[in-house]
Amino acid sequence: MKINTARQVWHDCTHNQSRGGLSGLTERTLLGTAVQTTDRGNTADHAEHAVLCGWFQSAIAKLHPQVRVFGDFMYAANQSDDIREAAEEVLFGLVMSKSKRMTAAKREKAEYVAKGVMRRYRYMHQGGQSANPDPMSKPETFRAWLFDYYGVRLESCAWARDWEPFIQLCFECCEDIDRMALSPIAAVIYEMKAAA
């Protein structure tokens, strides 16, 4: 396991490495059966990987469940709708606790806006380097995506007043939860590098 960033480590420690299903596909097509071979090296790389994963998985397990589910949505190798929905609930709850009062109709739309912002944030930070540009930085693009994906129509008039501050708050909340999720991982990385 290469230890580059906390985001990359989160992904790698939740990924189960195994011989892929395609590794013996050629052999099976030629012979009509699978033949056991001893092509593994005589190294302890897999054991080293498991030990390192244990350190990071322990740090992840100690996180608050709401923070952990957000981190799993962002970086875990195994994804599911349950993880996504739980992370969306966490973000929306935090955003609503910090936002101004709003009408019931706007609150209903705000939930989908928060979901969209969370997906934008995830795309921007995938890969561990946070180098991807925001794919929906233009309001027109974001509004079109919300309509296509969720069927939610946001009006363009008074966008700066009605939605820009809310979207900015959603991004700030994503950053706060992300920071809480990654800081214990970064601390373990720091300890490992200091001891080396």
Side-chain angles (χ1 to χ4, degrees):
M1 168 188 261
K2 293 184 180 181
I3 300 173
N4 296 324
T5 66
R7 291 179 171 105
Q8 171 259 324
V9 166
W10 190 306
H11 176 272
D12 290 355
C13 79
T14 59
H15 177 69
N16 293 328
Q17 289 184 330
S18 62
R19 293 182 71 198
L22 298 177
S23 64
L25 186 61
T26 306
E27 189 174 277
R28 276 183 252 145
T29 57
L30 291 174
L31 301 175
T33 184
V35 177
Q36 180 178 353
T37 59
T38 56
D39 60 349
R40 285 194 161 208
N42 294 332
T43 65
D45 289 345
H46 60 284
E48 178 187 7
H49 177 79
V51 169
L52 289 174
C53 286
W55 281 91
F56 297 115
Q57 288 170 351
S58 175
I60 291 169
K62 293 174 186 171
L63 291 171
H64 188 280
Q66 292 178 328
V67 175
R68 186 173 59 237
V69 79
F70 184 85
D72 282 340
F73 169 75
M74 290 291 295
Y75 309 114
N78 302 322
Q79 295 290 316
S80 71
D81 288 338
D82 292 337
I83 291 172
R84 179 187 47 78
E85 289 169 4
E88 289 170 347
E89 287 178 25
V90 168
L91 176 66
F92 186 64
L94 181 61
V95 170
M96 292 311 293
S97 71
K98 294 183 175 188
S99 67
K100 298 176 182 176
R101 291 183 57 179
M102 58 181 69
T103 63
K106 185 174 180 180
R107 180 184 168 93
E108 187 177 317
K109 290 180 179 182
E111 184 175 355
Y112 293 103
V113 170
K115 289 177 182 184
V117 169
M118 194 169 84
R119 288 180 185 235
R120 289 167 61 181
Y121 186 84
R122 180 179 179 197
Y123 175 82
M124 292 163 57
H125 296 282
Q126 289 275 241
Q129 300 300 321
S130 300
N132 293 333
D134 184 354
M136 295 179 263
S137 59
K138 294 182 180 178
E140 303 84 35
T141 309
F142 186 51
R143 285 189 0 258
W145 181 85
L146 282 172
F147 184 72
D148 291 343
Y149 201 79
Y150 292 116
V152 174
R153 184 179 304 278
L154 297 179
E155 298 302 323
S156 61
C157 59
W159 178 264
R161 182 194 70 211
D162 291 341
W163 292 109
E164 276 185 12
F166 184 79
I167 291 170
Q168 184 59 37
L169 180 62
C170 289
F171 273 114
E172 290 169 5
C173 289
C174 283
E175 290 170 3
D176 291 344
I177 302 170
D178 200 18
R179 193 176 304 111
M180 287 187 280
L182 294 176
S183 60
I185 307 290
V188 172
I189 292 172
Y190 179 78
E191 288 176 20
M192 287 181 167
K193 290 190 177 186

